[in-house]
Amino acid sequence: GSYPASIATGLAKVLSELHQTSPSLAPTPKLESTPEIFSITRRRLSDLVPETATTAQLASVVATERDVPQRLERLAQQWQTLCVIHGDLRWENVLITDGTSATPKFHLIDWEHARAGDPLWDVAGVVESYLRLGILSQTSDDRPDLRALIDSPVGEASARFWQAWQSECRLPLEMRQAATVRMVEYTACRLIQS
């Protein structure tokens, strides 16, 4: 597939503008303060995602991997309420008009999960969407080859988006490594829940 740079950088710009909105302007959330996936160890997985063979296998992995509950708890504790976030950002909730022009227009839709929160959750949603497209385009019936995705056009597009968002948000260089680690961990959580 083709992943134009204008899409990655344009979405990063729109998202960075949203993330400049004060958390005090967020709608009153009807949701938990952190994403539901962080409480996966305290709930049944089927409460979070539809029951399938894949989610049953995932529940088994989560139950047997000793460090998963601690990692999820740590992410919940590190959650930062910094700005307004969309909360459910993925390609299905992004409309792009004038997609053939050099400057496409972006419209974020489906705001039911909007709240005050950690902007890296939205960023992880975009990266997860890119990765999901790459996983779905792999032809093997085996486990997805995530390493191959890093060097693929989808990996390059997600990296371009991440770099553009950091630049648009003027994220200080000394904060970028920690932000990258948290964004990758959030992306993993989003892949689990999708």
Side-chain angles (χ1 to χ4, degrees):
S2 174
Y3 306 97
S6 61
I7 301 297
T9 57
L11 184 54
K13 182 174 177 45
V14 167
L15 203 52
S16 73
E17 290 170 0
L18 170 64
H19 294 156
Q20 293 174 28
T21 307
S22 169
S24 66
L25 298 176
T28 305
K30 297 177 185 174
L31 309 166
E32 296 179 25
S33 59
T34 61
E36 288 181 303
I37 193 68
F38 295 153
S39 64
I40 194 172
T41 58
R42 294 186 297 261
R43 303 166 122 170
R44 288 188 355 243
L45 182 63
S46 60
D47 291 341
L48 303 176
V49 292
E51 185 67 38
T52 65
T54 303
T55 58
Q57 182 181 11
L58 175 62
S60 172
V61 168
V62 168
T64 59
E65 292 294 325
R66 293 187 312 179
D67 63 337
V68 170
Q70 291 85 2
R71 286 181 180 204
L72 292 172
E73 188 61 38
R74 181 180 46 77
L75 286 174
Q77 291 171 358
Q78 290 177 347
W79 182 261
Q80 299 179 41
T81 303
L82 300 175
C83 60
V84 171
I85 65 170
H86 182 277
D88 189 25
L89 201 56
R90 50 197 167 108
W91 286 124
E92 294 87 340
N93 291 334
V94 178
L95 294 178
I96 303 170
T97 56
D98 297 330
T100 57
S101 77
T103 56
K105 294 184 177 115
F106 296 84
H107 309 275
L108 304 181
I109 62 170
D110 189 7
W111 287 87
E112 69 187 56
H113 295 281
R115 61 175 163 221
D118 192 329
L120 293 175
W121 186 252
D122 283 344
V123 171
V126 175
V127 173
E128 180 267 335
S129 289
Y130 273 122
L131 293 177
R132 190 167 19 99
L133 287 172
I135 289 167
L136 293 173
S137 70
Q138 291 182 348
T139 56
S140 172
D141 289 334
D142 295 332
R143 289 180 147 180
D145 185 353
L146 297 178
R147 291 227 183 265
L149 287 177
I150 292 170
D151 296 323
S152 73
V154 92
E156 293 168 8
S158 61
R160 186 178 304 115
F161 165 77
W162 172 233
Q163 292 299 322
W165 183 85
Q166 290 179 93
S167 179
E168 288 289 338
C169 289
R170 296 180 180 90
L171 193 64
L173 291 175
E174 64 272 8
M175 296 176 66
R176 290 186 181 199
Q177 183 176 3
T180 299
V181 169
R182 203 164 75 247
M183 182 274 297
V184 168
E185 291 174 326
Y186 285 174
T187 301
C189 289
R190 294 188 68 113
L191 281 165
I192 289 170
Q193 76 178 17
S194 66

